[in-house]
Amino acid sequence: MKAAIVGVTGYTGIELLRIIHGHPQLSVGTIHSYSLHKHTIAEDYPHLRSLTTLPVHPFDPEMIMAENDLVFFATPAGVCKELGQVLVAADFPVIDLSGDLRLKEAAVYEAWYQKEAAPEEMLAKAYYGLPEFLPADTKGNLISNPGCYATAALLAIAPLVKENLVDPTSLILDGKSGLSGAGKTLGESSHYVNVTENMSMYKLNQHQHIPEILQQLQVWNPEMTAIQFTTSLIPVKRGIFLTAYGKVLPQVTQEQLLAAYHKVYAQAPFVRIQPAGTLPQLRQVTGTNFCDIGLGLNEKTGIVTVVGVIDNLMKGASGQAIQNYNRWAGIDETAGLWTMPIYP
């Protein structure tokens, strides 16, 4: 198959280009940018020279549908819900990496994103593509790729919630992200002087991934009505370090906790559970689609600490989008993604 990439000049678009370049059953048909489309992609990104000479086109839905089998929208929030309407109306396969289609209630999207929501027919047609928890028979040509923080958080705590191991009202989630999670747009928070040798918390109780996380948690436990989730910026280029804390129910042991994680992720090729007494480091997933998870139980306080790490541009965005493509296409879920981490 051939795929178009809209928003190819952004971090997630370039990452899609890199992954597809090594994919055994997918190639890039056309690439598009709604603002930067006067050069070949290699002119704007010299690291791609001799690897591709694809010209960057303006957004053109007719070209996309004529020359490709599907399209990835690697665009900021607010783009796919507008530009993607003609493609969705034609039932052309779309995988959206933004938050436009993740929230099923338009009013919730508008409250958290401060933008007008996608049309109801788009929201109704889209399905939330968290691959580890998608039923095998899930069908549809409109896939909403989960957010990076939401992916890390949900994978880290899913066994606790699904297996009823903790008091759900006690869960506290603390996410720390590398700078690429904010995208290419420059601002005060992305200034080198403010980022290097520093750490800062942002969007306290206001991050747009909060309702996304809660929406999925309520699928597993309808009684969950709120979560405590914080986000911080750390001086690394890529990666999310997610720490979760929860009060375990009486008589729950560390052995039971580990057994639950192994059970839930027994058929999940990209989730690696760490051995007892071992916690994952951010670097061990860099450049990969893996989510590595470790945990420890304080028997005196009854608090379990879970650490989950992902590469925000891979498992948190483009890698997961390819994983969703693989499942949608009915091919090996790991195709194009079974790569070793970049180390050191």
Side-chain angles (χ1 to χ4, degrees):
M1 291 186 179
K2 288 187 176 181
I5 303 173
V6 179
V8 70
T9 57
Y11 291 144
T12 56
I14 286 295
E15 195 74 344
L16 278 170
L17 201 63
R18 182 180 74 86
I19 302 168
I20 296 174
H21 183 74
H23 197 286
Q25 298 183 52
L26 183 65
S27 61
V28 177
T30 58
I31 55 177
H32 304 261
S33 171
Y34 56 93
S35 57
L36 302 173
H37 45 74
K38 296 181 179 180
H39 310 284
T40 66
I41 192 66
E43 288 179 272
D44 289 322
Y45 286 94
H47 72 282
L48 295 175
R49 286 178 182 165
S50 79
L51 296 173
T52 179
T53 57
L54 286 171
V56 182
H57 300 281
F59 178 74
D60 184 340
E62 297 303 322
M63 173 189 283
I64 288 173
M65 289 189 284
E67 299 187 25
N68 301 275
D69 299 291
L70 74 152
V71 58
F72 294 94
F73 273 84
T75 50
V79 176
C80 182
K81 69 183 179 67
E82 300 294 340
L83 299 186
Q85 290 187 35
V86 62
L87 298 163
V88 173
D91 200 32
F92 189 77
V94 173
I95 299 178
D96 178 32
L97 278 70
S98 81
D100 283 0
L101 306 171
R102 295 173 189 157
L103 301 175
K104 285 301 181 182
E105 295 184 20
V108 176
Y109 175 91
E110 291 170 356
W112 287 87
Y113 282 82
Q114 303 298 306
K115 301 176 187 291
E116 184 179 353
E120 289 290 344
E121 54 268 26
M122 285 184 74
L123 295 178
K125 185 176 288 189
Y127 69 83
Y128 187 65
L130 187 62
E132 286 73 18
F133 298 100
L134 272 178
D137 59 352
T138 301
K139 302 294 183 185
N141 281 343
L142 184 56
I143 304 173
S144 178
N145 212 55
C148 53
Y149 274 125
T151 297
L154 290 168
L155 292 179
I157 64 173
L160 300 179
V161 177
K162 291 176 66 67
E163 300 296 309
N164 193 31
L165 295 168
V166 296
D167 175 356
T169 65
S170 71
L171 284 171
I172 297 176
L173 309 175
D174 179 40
K176 302 175 181 65
S177 175
L179 192 59
S180 60
K184 283 179 60 178
T185 303
L186 299 178
E188 191 71 17
S189 64
S190 59
H191 194 294
Y192 176 81
V193 173
N194 293 331
V195 174
T196 188
E197 300 180 37
N198 195 18
M199 174 177 163
S200 57
M201 187 173 287
Y202 66 102
K203 291 187 178 179
L204 181 62
N205 301 321
Q206 297 178 343
H207 199 282
Q208 65 272 18
H209 289 182
I210 291 174
E212 179 185 343
I213 296 168
L214 185 59
Q215 178 179 262
Q216 182 61 38
L217 289 177
Q218 288 177 329
V219 173
W220 299 330
N221 183 349
E223 296 182 3
M224 295 193 71
T225 58
I227 57 170
Q228 183 60 41
F229 177 60
T230 56
T231 53
S232 299
L233 186 66
I234 55 177
V236 298
K237 290 180 289 187
R238 53 201 295 166
I240 287 179
F241 192 100
L242 191 290
T243 313
Y245 308 91
K247 182 77 171 180
V248 300
L249 297 182
Q251 311 306 317
V252 171
T253 65
Q254 175 146 322
E255 290 72 23
Q256 288 176 299
L257 291 166
L258 278 171
Y261 276 78
H262 283 289
K263 171 188 173 184
V264 169
Y265 294 121
Q267 303 301 319
F270 292 113
V271 179
R272 304 188 298 189
I273 307 304
Q274 308 299 285
T278 304
L279 298 176
Q281 301 178 31
L282 197 56
R283 184 175 290 171
Q284 69 191 51
V285 297
T286 303
T288 77
N289 200 53
F290 289 115
C291 174
D292 286 1
I293 299 173
L295 62 87
L297 175 64
N298 185 327
E299 295 181 352
K300 293 183 179 180
T301 64
I303 300 295
V304 60
T305 299
V306 182
V307 175
V309 294
I310 64 170
D311 184 322
N312 60 292
L313 295 180
M314 284 292 293
K315 186 59 174 167
S318 303
Q320 184 155 239
I322 295 296
Q323 188 179 357
N324 273 316
Y325 160 76
N326 291 341
R327 293 175 61 97
W328 170 85
I331 62 176
D332 183 354
E333 186 171 351
T334 67
L337 295 169
W338 205 244
T339 56
M340 289 186 179
I342 299 169
Y343 192 93

